[in-house]
Amino acid sequence: MEHEGPRLPTPRGPLSRGVDAYLRGAGRLPRLEEVARAEVYGDDLQLALYLCYELHYRGFAEVPPEREWDPDLLRTRAAMEQRFLSALRTDAHVHESVDEALAGLLVEPVEGTGVTHFLRAEGELWQVREYAAQRSLYHLKEADPHAWVLPRLWGRAKAGMAAVEFDEWGGGRAERVHAALFADLMTDLGLDTTYGRYLDAASAEALVTVNMMSLFGLHRALRGALVGHFATVEITSSPGSRRLAEAMRRTGAGPAAEHFYDEHVEADAVHEQVVRHDVIGGLLEQEPQLARDVAFGIDATEFIEERFGARLLTDWRASRSSLHAPLAREAAHIS
């Protein structure tokens, strides 16, 4: 029986193959020793984890909705999450205080070397398309992973978070929902706007960026880390979006592509202040013991974004695709 949602992607190893088969009702889940052997940031574990998490968003066409809370699947997911979270805590936790973690985010380097700098200065249209295809895994559900933290906050933190989320969802206007604006950007770039369309194409590094949001969002114990992650996104978004808007203009991506990033330059400059003073400030007034988790969320976000950026730039500078699977040439104007 078909259900609403995207199609299941092609597995990338024993973990994702086992989860895929179980979701279809056609096989067993991977064993715990298989989880323990998998590369923690690799394609197989990250895709398997993504499949589990996506059941809490829109699900998959071949999967009955009841699988969302299947206890055996949740046990397997928990084993993968434990490995993922342990790796992040080991690899990414740098700062002990929130102020120290935030300090680096608030200073723009004179000569930046990241992906947005590259795309603004020398990126080509095919690279812009690849970037948009991979980011679509998040941007077509923009702000949704962060919504899970709302019932876990109260007072000033809750009000500030709700205000920012309301803006992300278009302030009550469907045509201004940021996910819809990103779909317009994709249309300008000749990309398919179907939800989940580029899951097969996305690199492991792109999967990690979305999986971390879901991990933090789905666990109440990680609410501090989710707030730290959200703060990092909002603080770094405005200058990065300014560079990406310039990249869209320089490469001739199209008016909707330019508008998406122009919109984020202004909106996220305001959001930064709300998140820092009301969301983080309000949370730590009420629960000061979460300060280390907030710092961890900031550090982990920088870590996974740097990994994603390094993957893109390494491939692009070698004149090769950064994708796991090639993009279809879905628009005649893309050469």
Side-chain angles (χ1 to χ4, degrees):
M1 179 180 177
E2 290 289 314
H3 305 277
E4 293 183 2
R7 307 292 301 185
L8 282 163
T10 302
R12 303 186 188 181
L15 295 189
S16 51
R17 188 161 49 247
V19 171
D20 175 270
Y22 189 78
L23 292 177
R24 296 175 188 270
R28 66 165 181 83
L29 286 164
R31 300 185 188 91
L32 294 184
E33 53 265 30
E34 292 177 290
V35 174
R37 286 195 301 266
E39 182 185 351
V40 69
Y41 301 120
D43 282 292
D44 191 26
L45 187 145
Q46 291 297 325
L47 180 60
L49 200 50
Y50 193 99
L51 296 180
C52 294
Y53 286 147
E54 190 57 36
L55 301 180
H56 298 292
Y57 295 101
R58 301 194 197 178
F60 294 99
E62 305 96 325
V63 182
E66 294 75 19
R67 282 292 195 215
E68 180 182 3
W69 299 111
D70 182 281
D72 293 328
L73 184 64
L74 291 175
R75 276 190 288 271
T76 300
R77 191 189 93 186
M80 293 189 288
E81 286 181 323
Q82 185 177 26
R83 289 209 61 211
F84 185 32
L85 183 59
S86 294
L88 287 173
R89 289 199 184 280
T90 298
D91 298 337
H93 203 139
V94 177
H95 300 99
E96 294 300 317
S97 80
V98 175
D99 287 344
E100 289 176 355
L102 285 173
L105 301 180
L106 297 171
V107 178
E108 268 285 281
V110 176
E111 294 185 9
T113 58
V115 170
T116 60
H117 295 87
F118 175 90
L119 289 174
R120 178 185 63 179
E122 57 185 296
E124 299 178 25
L125 193 56
W126 69 270
Q127 294 162 332
V128 170
R129 294 183 79 229
E130 286 197 357
Y131 183 78
Q134 299 212 62
R135 286 299 197 191
S136 71
L137 270 62
Y138 167 64
H139 280 303
L140 291 180
K141 59 187 173 201
E142 186 169 341
D144 292 351
H146 307 113
W148 278 310
V149 82
L150 284 168
R152 296 154 184 174
L153 303 176
W154 62 94
R156 189 155 60 96
K158 189 186 196 83
M161 191 76 188
V164 175
E165 290 280 87
F166 185 63
D167 281 353
E168 302 283 355
W169 292 321
R173 294 174 57 186
E175 73 278 6
R176 292 186 60 81
V177 171
H178 285 188
L181 296 181
F182 194 80
D184 293 340
L185 171 150
M186 295 176 73
T187 298
D188 268 1
L189 291 171
L191 296 171
D192 188 337
T193 63
T194 304
Y195 181 87
R197 168 66 177 78
Y198 295 107
L199 181 51
D200 269 326
S203 63
E205 290 80 4
L207 296 177
V208 170
T209 67
V210 186
N211 282 341
M212 193 186 73
M213 298 182 210
S214 299
L215 170 67
F216 290 170
L218 283 166
H219 291 271
R220 188 176 67 85
L222 295 172
R223 62 196 180 279
L226 189 283
V227 166
H229 160 74
F230 191 62
T232 307
V233 171
E234 295 300 326
I235 290 170
T236 59
S237 175
S238 186
S241 292
R242 183 176 292 106
R243 290 188 288 271
L244 287 170
E246 292 173 13
M248 298 300 141
R249 279 186 272 275
R250 190 181 60 77
T251 58
E258 296 171 19
H259 175 68
F260 177 81
Y261 289 110
D262 284 335
E263 171 80 8
H264 280 71
V265 171
E266 182 176 347
D268 290 344
V270 176
H271 293 172
E272 173 204 332
Q273 299 297 317
V274 175
V275 172
R276 280 204 295 134
H277 297 295
D278 293 333
V279 182
I280 291 180
L283 175 67
L284 295 184
E285 278 181 6
Q286 296 156 345
E287 301 186 273
Q289 75 278 7
L290 294 181
R292 196 166 187 269
D293 279 349
V294 174
F296 165 60
I298 295 169
D299 290 340
T301 304
E302 288 197 277
F303 172 72
I304 59 100
E305 287 294 335
E306 286 172 4
R307 290 185 77 258
F308 179 52
R311 167 66 185 269
L312 294 176
L313 293 178
T314 297
D315 287 333
W316 290 347
R317 285 175 175 147
S319 299
R320 63 175 178 258
S321 173
S322 64
L323 301 175
H324 182 78
L327 291 180
R329 297 191 183 279
E330 288 144 330
H333 71 276
I334 301 295
S335 59

